[in-house]
């Protein structure tokens, strides 16, 4: 008997790990007859995969739930059930609150419970479906119980290798929402990488909340670090590009730095968040690195891979940040010269140690002013870096159509967005492009036509 397909809609916020998790949830539910669709209307199940990293996260979830409630009521008036589920980091942090405040939510479950989805969905299904809340950190690993992936990730695919974090930066919710650091067994990762390449991936982005803390059991029984894994995966024929995200400077060991020089498939671009350029603030953040150590790592990486470019995350207006601390942050950004950066105004997250530093809070108008000064500098650096690419021929991985008709969109080795005119059949390929013009956030150019006869 063939089962009629049920419709599933997933909305994802947050980091790349959440995107990966949404794909895995869709894989699991596929085996229960659910097919993922791209609109929430008249579907059997909706999952909101949420992020708790900065302020208003919970508000956003509630306003989305308010909108979805209408879809649920419309459908249920016709006698059909719609399960509304909240997953991800807000579910983990605020699960009970969501259950109380939104009685039409049927399921709330945290990131470590996705392998239990079939059981949870069965309980919540049917007209007498139960409400489910599951924010446990189970002792068995969800990775051992997820099915093989069938959600085609395209030319550039995410692969989660590590999850959770033991670093406890004082501003951050991740150690609480994702739990203790956990590394997958290397062989599992290697097998998954092979499957992704067989499905057409040219690029694999290894993911973890603190990915370079990776320490999985290797095929030989010894502990493998990230560099070991990268070297092994780089041997896969057909795989052209490897990236990893996000790293902590403290976990950037010499072997990994050396791998940046040796493994050409490892792209010459690294997101290495520093958060602040003031040693005093770094200490208050419990970052376990100072400015000098960070600069030393950057210098070593540049020595290992001269063309490497960097991006970072910065938090502006952390409690206790003085004008001088802020100047030090500006100086660090000038010294490093980033290709791009994310910067955020500090927001106190409930339950984190920094949330107790109320007395030292930077007034909001000062934090906003500093943030915009900082972003001006970073925008200039990004525009300058993009400008330095003009006239170069860069291999571009085309992974989707551009917004305009006849346009393709892809990524340079430095992760810049590149738009060119080109035939759709080039999607899923790496093609040389001569960069003709740069913008603040992207590049454009022409596909290089190699004329063999003329050569
Ligand atoms: N694992 C990553 C961070 C993930 S969170 C790392 O170690 O760098 C992504 C970014 O959000 C952080 O780098 C930080 O810059 C920002 N962020 C985290 N908590 C924040 C907070 N309470 N207020 C403002 N920004 C925050
Ligand atoms: Fe959060 Fe990253 Fe610090 Fe871990 S290392 S606590 S994920 S900011
Ligand atoms: Fe957000 Fe959770 Fe990722 S809080 S950034 S979705 S780990």
């Amino acid at each position: 008997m063939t089962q009629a397909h049920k419709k599933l809609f997933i909305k994802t916020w947050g980091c790349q790990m959440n995107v990966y998790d949404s794909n895995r949830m869709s894989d699991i539910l596929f085996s229960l007859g659910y097919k993922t669709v791209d609109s929430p209307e008249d579907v059997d199940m909706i999952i909101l995969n949420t992020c708790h990293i900065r302020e208003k996260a919970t508000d956003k979830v509630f306003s989305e739930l308010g909108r979805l409630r209408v879809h649920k009521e419309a459908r249920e008036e016709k006698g059909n059930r719609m399960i509304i589920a909240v997953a991800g980091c807000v579910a983990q942090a605020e699960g009970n609150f969501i259950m109380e405040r939104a009685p039409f939510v049927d399921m709330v479950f945290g990131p470590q419970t996705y392998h239990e989805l079939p059981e949870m969905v069965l309980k919540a299904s049917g007209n007498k479906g139960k409400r489910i809340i599951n924010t446990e950190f189970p002792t068995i690993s969800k990775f051992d119980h997820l099915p093989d992936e069938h959600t085609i990730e395209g030319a550039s695919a995410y692969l989660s290798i590590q999850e959770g974090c033991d670093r406890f930066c004082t501003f951050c919710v991740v150690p609480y929402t994702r739990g203790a650091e956990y590394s997958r067994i290397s062989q599992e990762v290697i097998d998954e990488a092979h499957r992704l390449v067989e499905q057409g991936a040219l690029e694999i982005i290894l993911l973890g909340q603190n990915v370079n803390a990776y320490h999985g059991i290797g095929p030989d029984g010894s502990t493998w670090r990230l560099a070991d894994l990268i070297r092994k995966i780089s041997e896969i024929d057909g795989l052209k590009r490897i990236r990893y995200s996000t790293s902590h400077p403290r976990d950037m060991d010499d072997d990994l730095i050396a791998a940046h020089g040796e493994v050409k498939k490892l792209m010459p671009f690294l997101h290495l968040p520093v958060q602040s350029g003031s040693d005093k603030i770094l200490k208050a953040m419990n970052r376990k690195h100072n400015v000098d150590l960070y600069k030393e790592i950057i210098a070593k990486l540049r020595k290992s891979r001269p063309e490497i470019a960097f991006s970072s995350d910065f938090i502006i207006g952390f409690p206790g940040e003085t004008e001088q601390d802020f100047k030090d942050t500006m100086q660090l950004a000038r010294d490093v010269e980033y290709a791009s950066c994310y910067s955020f105004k500090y927001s106190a997250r409930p339950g984190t140690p920094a949330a107790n530093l109320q007395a030292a809070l930077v007034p909001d108008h000062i934090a906003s002013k500093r943030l915009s000064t900082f972003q001006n500098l970073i925008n200039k650096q990004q525009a300058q870096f993009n400008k330095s690419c003009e006239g170069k021929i860069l291999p571009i991985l085309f992974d989707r159509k551009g917004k305009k008709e006849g346009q393709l969109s892809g990524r340079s080795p430095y992760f810049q967005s590149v738009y060119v005119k080109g035939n759709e059949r080039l999607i899923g390929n790496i093609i040389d492009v001569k960069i003709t013009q740069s913008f603040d956030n992207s590049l454009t150019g022409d596909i290089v036509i190699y004329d063999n006869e003329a050569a």
Side-chain angles (χ1 to χ4, degrees):
M1 275 234 307
T2 52
Q3 204 182 354
H5 278 307
K6 293 185 205 149
K7 286 194 239 161
L8 166 70
F9 173 75
I10 308 185
K11 174 161 179 152
T12 310
W13 287 279
C15 60
Q16 294 160 327
M17 177 84 69
N18 260 12
V19 176
Y20 177 88
D21 285 346
S22 289
N23 285 336
R24 293 292 76 77
M25 285 194 267
S26 139
D27 288 342
I28 295 175
L29 291 170
F30 184 77
S31 57
L32 295 187
Y34 284 89
K35 256 196 157 167
T36 310
V37 295
D38 46 19
S39 146
E41 266 154 67
D42 208 25
V43 296
D44 298 87
M45 180 166 179
I46 291 178
I47 301 178
L48 299 183
N49 192 5
T50 60
C51 171
H52 200 235
I53 202 78
R54 281 177 291 276
E55 62 191 337
K56 306 213 177 89
T58 316
D59 296 350
K60 264 192 235 161
V61 174
F62 279 113
S63 46
E64 185 70 27
L65 282 172
R67 283 190 287 273
L68 294 175
R69 179 188 195 161
V70 180
H71 291 297
K72 179 173 168 115
E73 283 167 357
R75 184 172 156 92
E76 298 198 338
E77 258 170 37
K78 289 185 263 166
N80 297 318
R81 183 152 162 78
M82 179 189 283
I83 296 177
I84 295 190
V86 181
C89 293
V90 176
Q92 185 65 43
E94 311 255 21
N96 289 321
F97 183 54
I98 298 172
M99 290 296 270
E100 270 169 38
R101 234 190 84 182
F104 55 93
V105 168
D106 305 287
M107 298 169 64
V108 171
F109 51 96
Q112 303 308 335
T113 66
Y114 296 160
H115 57 294
E116 293 166 18
L117 253 178
E119 220 178 296
M120 294 192 279
V121 171
L122 276 179
K123 283 191 191 147
S125 297
N127 291 334
K128 290 195 180 144
K130 290 198 184 71
R131 295 184 81 205
I132 310 264
I133 174 157
N134 188 352
T135 49
E136 301 292 307
F137 288 108
T139 42
I140 57 157
S141 157
K142 69 173 169 187
F143 288 114
D144 301 343
H145 293 81
L146 292 178
D148 285 357
E149 46 307 310
H150 74 264
T151 301
I152 303 293
E153 317 228 9
S156 175
Y158 292 137
L159 202 178
S160 191
I161 67 167
Q162 179 278 344
E163 191 169 358
C165 185
D166 293 342
R167 285 254 167 236
F168 290 94
C169 302
T170 55
F171 52 82
C172 183
V173 292
V174 170
Y176 313 100
T177 59
R178 293 278 170 168
E181 207 228 289
Y182 170 84
S183 294
R184 291 177 75 185
I185 295 167
S186 307
Q187 192 60 52
E188 268 180 32
V189 175
I190 297 163
D191 293 344
E192 189 167 330
H194 275 280
R195 289 195 297 269
L196 291 170
V197 173
E198 277 159 25
Q199 288 176 8
L202 298 176
E203 172 175 272
I204 289 182
I205 307 179
L206 302 172
L207 294 182
Q209 265 87 34
N210 182 8
V211 73
N212 60 342
Y214 179 83
H215 58 282
I217 302 165
D220 54 1
S222 72
T223 300
W224 274 29
R225 298 299 313 266
L226 181 58
D228 302 309
L229 200 54
I230 287 173
R231 288 196 182 94
K232 186 71 192 170
I233 289 175
S234 73
E235 291 168 7
I236 302 177
D237 277 344
L239 179 65
K240 308 283 189 216
R241 293 181 168 191
I242 302 172
R243 302 179 191 273
Y244 60 92
S245 190
T246 299
S247 303
H248 191 290
R250 255 273 127 165
D251 293 305
M252 206 69 221
D253 63 43
D254 284 341
D255 194 34
L256 183 54
I257 295 176
H260 275 271
E262 289 160 26
V263 181
K264 291 300 164 211
K265 290 182 182 181
L266 195 53
M267 287 293 97
F269 176 76
L270 182 62
H271 183 60
L272 193 60
V274 65
Q275 312 296 357
S276 169
S278 151
D279 282 345
K280 182 190 93 190
I281 297 295
L282 288 173
K283 196 151 195 264
M285 288 175 163
N286 191 32
R287 285 292 290 180
K288 301 269 165 50
H289 61 78
N290 57 20
V291 173
D292 281 348
L293 178 67
Y294 181 77
K295 283 195 194 163
E296 197 182 305
I297 294 164
I298 297 270
K300 281 189 189 168
L301 281 158
R302 284 193 163 131
K303 197 158 173 229
S304 174
R305 186 76 173 257
E307 74 273 34
I308 197 167
F310 295 97
S311 69
S312 174
D313 291 344
F314 285 87
I315 295 180
I316 305 295
F318 187 80
E321 185 190 79
T322 60
E323 204 50 43
Q324 186 56 48
D325 295 321
F326 175 63
K327 278 188 184 147
D328 293 345
T329 296
M330 291 285 285
Q331 190 54 46
L332 176 62
R334 280 192 208 101
D335 291 346
V336 175
E337 292 187 46
Y338 290 101
S340 62
C341 272
Y342 297 97
S343 46
F344 315 97
K345 191 159 65 172
Y346 170 73
S347 84
R349 310 305 296 129
T352 60
N356 298 328
L357 305 173
Q358 286 294 336
L361 272 188
V362 176
D364 191 59
H365 68 280
I366 297 184
S368 299
K369 192 160 167 264
R370 287 181 190 162
L371 183 66
S372 87
T373 307
F374 186 77
Q375 288 182 338
N376 278 340
L377 171 67
I378 290 301
N379 291 345
K380 268 190 212 134
Q381 290 193 347
Q382 186 172 346
Q384 213 164 353
F385 181 75
N386 288 348
K387 184 114 195 133
S388 73
C389 297
E390 286 182 0
K392 286 189 185 159
I393 292 177
L394 297 178
I396 307 302
L397 192 166
F398 288 109
D399 59 351
R400 67 193 72 184
K401 284 199 262 182
K403 286 193 193 108
K404 293 185 195 149
E405 190 63 32
Q407 198 187 43
L408 305 176
S409 160
R411 294 278 187 177
S412 77
Y414 309 106
F415 216 58
Q416 296 146 298
S417 293
V418 182
Y419 298 93
V420 303
K421 274 198 202 127
N423 193 309
E424 235 175 79
R425 70 188 178 82
L426 297 180
I427 292 173
N429 292 284
I430 295 177
I431 310 278
D432 279 348
V433 169
K434 172 132 190 200
I435 305 302
T436 52
Q437 207 182 348
S438 70
F439 305 94
D440 289 352
N441 293 309
S442 63
L443 304 174
T444 181
D446 301 318
I447 288 169
V448 179
I449 311 290
Y450 290 101
D451 185 344
N452 288 329
E453 278 174 57

